[in-house]
Amino acid sequence: PSFFIQRHADMKTRTKKIWTIIVCAVALLGWGVLHLANNSRRLASEGVETGAVLTSSFTRRVQHGPGAGRHRNRATRYEEVGYFSYSYRVGGKLYEGEIRRTGPLVRARVGDSVRVCYLPDAPARHTLVRDGEGNVCFSRGLRSRQGQSRRSE
């Protein structure tokens, strides 16, 4: 009988540990979502735009779909994906970012410019400015409008 009592206690302890892990994981996920939402809200209301320059660029053809094995007769599609690094200056300090994109930005080249929106109190927190369709806009060569507030546009 004591064997069964011990086993039952072990199961209770194991169950408590599992629930503790689940609760912690959900709390961490919730905090992450709230943190991202707060950053997005702050960027939209307090963000300042500036120009950034693409510092590296390459494209890779990516395969989507089954394409191999027993499903090789099913449709496979390919897509050009661009990988880009960019840098921008705020208060004389250089900040860098990276992005992986499809669509029009794939045609961008090193030296082209993009618009960045950053938080004045934390310039490393930034996002690339997008058009109405959600595409990152770029232009040939650097045309920086340093420190222009988003609110004024």
Side-chain angles (χ1 to χ4, degrees):
S2 66
F3 170 75
F4 293 112
I5 293 172
Q6 181 62 36
R7 186 170 178 186
H8 180 69
D10 289 345
M11 286 178 59
K12 276 184 149 182
T13 302
R14 186 177 305 136
T15 302
K16 284 182 184 179
K17 286 180 182 177
I18 290 170
W19 276 109
T20 301
I21 291 170
I22 290 171
V23 167
C24 287
V26 168
L28 186 61
L29 180 65
W31 177 85
V33 167
L34 289 174
H35 181 70
L36 289 174
N38 184 49
N39 275 345
S40 293
R41 180 192 58 77
R42 286 191 62 210
L43 282 165
S45 65
E46 304 168 26
V48 175
E49 283 189 24
T50 191
V53 178
L54 296 179
T55 56
S56 72
S57 165
F58 70 93
T59 58
R60 179 175 291 154
R61 190 174 184 193
V62 177
Q63 175 181 331
H64 297 282
R70 63 185 173 151
H71 301 290
R72 85 184 78 176
N73 292 332
R74 291 192 184 170
T76 301
R77 66 183 179 88
Y78 296 92
E79 179 177 49
E80 294 293 320
V81 178
Y83 298 85
F84 306 93
S85 297
Y86 54 91
S87 64
Y88 59 101
R89 286 193 182 277
V90 176
K93 186 173 179 187
L94 185 67
Y95 295 91
E96 298 176 326
E98 297 177 342
I99 189 170
R100 174 186 180 266
R101 295 297 297 170
T102 58
L105 190 62
V106 172
R107 297 186 312 271
R109 301 289 178 251
V110 172
D112 289 352
S113 65
V114 292
R115 303 295 299 159
V116 174
C117 179
Y118 66 90
L119 292 176
D121 61 337
R125 290 188 186 167
H126 70 281
T127 187
L128 293 176
V129 176
R130 299 172 189 279
D131 64 14
E133 296 176 6
N135 296 318
V136 174
C137 301
F138 71 96
S139 57
R140 298 286 177 214
L142 177 63
R143 286 185 263 164
S144 177
R145 294 180 293 178
Q146 292 287 332
Q148 183 172 344
S149 173
R150 280 187 77 135
R151 290 172 282 190
S152 68
E153 290 189 26

